């Protein structure tokens, strides 16, 4: 008798469970057809800003060399040669091919007219209007500097001067800033002769800022020309 009673209780519990499940499913089905009141989720009254801050003051005049914001231009290029030249260009001019600074230096990489002559460019106006020529000029000038500094690269890369490890890319960046002669003086004086340009940027700063890039792409060339 007790066994039959237990069986009956279990059956009743099963029926109740099934009935409750059906009720829940029917309720959910009806709710899914209801219109959701999105007004409950309104952003009215909230102070929202959809502008992405890129860290650049739009009112800043980027025409002057060495006044561009002091951060890495393209993190996705890493320490490649392209990363090197783009980071250097961004520091020089903000990456602006048509920039002319207050000292008359031209273009994306801020070349002086005398340097341009050494790599075969005699028309500064033509140079300023020609981005392709500016890229060729950067390659040619870097190759020329690498040839002039080839012994210093061999002798000083890996050594520590003024708290930084000397690298080839740091040497080439500093040569772009100050000329290969100033870089030789800096290295051979172990940092005592630290040239600064008209804006106060030093050889030491460029040696540190542009350290560790892969500049093996550039081959030393005493007679390198852009044209």
């Amino acid at each position: 008798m007790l066994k039959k009673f237990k069986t009956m209780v279990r059956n009743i519990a099963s029926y109740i469970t099934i009935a409750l499940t059906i009720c829940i499913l029917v309720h959910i089905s009806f709710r899914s057809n209801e219109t959701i009141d999105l007004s409950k989720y309104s952003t009215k009254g909230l102070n929202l800003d959809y502008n992405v801050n890129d860290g650049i003051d739009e009112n800043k005049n980027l025409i002057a060399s060495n006044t561009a914001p002091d951060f890495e231009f393209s993190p996705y290029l890493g320490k490649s040669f392209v990363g090197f030249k783009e980071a250097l260009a961004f520091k020089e001019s903000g990456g602006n091919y048509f920039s002319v600074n207050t000292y008359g230096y031209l273009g994306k990489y801020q070349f002086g007219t005398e340097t341009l002559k050494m790599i075969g460019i005699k028309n500064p106006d033509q140079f300023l209007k020609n981005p392709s020529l500016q890229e060729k000029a950067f390659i040619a000038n870097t190759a020329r500097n690498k040839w002039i500094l080839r012994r210093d690269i061999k002798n000083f890369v890996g050594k520590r001067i003024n708290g930084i490890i000397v690298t080839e890319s740091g040497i080439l960046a500093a040569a772009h800033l100050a000329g290969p002669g100033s870089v030789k003086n800096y290295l051979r004086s172990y940092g005592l002769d630290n040239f600064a340009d008209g804006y106060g940027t030093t050889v030491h700063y460029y040696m540190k800022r542009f350290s560790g890039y892969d500049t093996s792409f550039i081959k030393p060339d005493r007679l390198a020309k852009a044209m």
Side-chain angles (χ1 to χ4, degrees), residues 48-59:
L48 302 178
D49 183 4
Y50 296 100
N51 297 312
V52 177
N53 181 7
D54 59 5
I56 301 177
D57 180 1
E58 292 181 353
N59 296 320

Side-chain angles (χ1 to χ4, degrees), residues 131-142:
S132 177
L133 183 57
Q134 292 187 33
E135 295 296 337
K136 292 177 182 178
F138 179 78
I139 298 296
N141 188 57
T142 306

Side-chain angles (χ1 to χ4, degrees), residues 12-186:
I12 293 172
S14 297
Y15 293 144
I16 292 173
T17 301
I18 292 172
L20 287 174
T21 302
I22 292 172
C23 289
I24 292 171
L25 291 174
V26 170
H27 178 70
I28 292 173
S29 176
F30 280 115
R31 286 295 301 274
S32 66
N33 292 325
E34 292 180 0
T35 300
I36 299 175
D37 185 5
L38 294 178
S39 65
K40 296 179 181 179
Y41 306 98
S42 173
T43 58
K44 184 178 180 181
L46 296 179
N47 184 19
L48 302 178
D49 183 4
Y50 296 100
N51 297 312
V52 177
N53 181 7
D54 59 5
I56 301 177
D57 180 1
E58 292 181 353
N59 296 320
K60 202 168 203 178
N61 181 8
L62 295 181
I63 195 171
S65 173
N66 301 318
T67 60
D70 190 13
F71 55 85
E72 194 71 23
F73 172 61
S74 184
Y76 302 104
L77 296 175
K79 291 293 186 176
S80 67
F81 175 73
V82 176
F84 169 73
K85 75 181 186 68
E86 292 303 322
L88 184 58
F90 196 72
K91 182 65 180 72
E92 289 287 327
S93 70
N96 181 3
Y97 283 109
F98 309 105
S99 171
V100 181
N101 77 2
T102 52
Y103 291 94
Y105 286 80
L106 308 168
K108 179 179 177 180
Y109 300 100
Q110 295 291 278
F111 277 97
T113 55
E114 293 303 314
T115 299
L116 291 177
K117 289 177 183 178
M118 286 189 288
I119 55 177
I121 299 173
K122 299 179 181 179
N123 188 331
D125 292 332
Q126 178 190 16
F127 170 78
L128 190 62
K129 297 174 183 177
N130 191 335
S132 177
L133 183 57
Q134 292 187 33
E135 295 296 337
K136 292 177 182 178
F138 179 78
I139 298 296
N141 188 57
T142 306
R144 179 177 172 276
N145 286 339
K146 193 168 182 177
W147 184 85
I148 295 171
L149 292 163
R150 63 195 185 283
R151 292 189 181 90
D152 297 277
I153 290 171
K154 180 180 178 180
N155 294 333
F156 288 97
V157 165
K159 293 183 178 180
R160 187 180 293 274
I161 296 179
N162 283 344
I164 64 168
I165 300 296
V166 176
T167 66
E168 181 178 284
S169 62
I171 289 175
L172 294 178
H176 183 85
L177 170 77
S182 295
V183 176
K184 282 187 178 185
N185 293 338
Y186 175 84

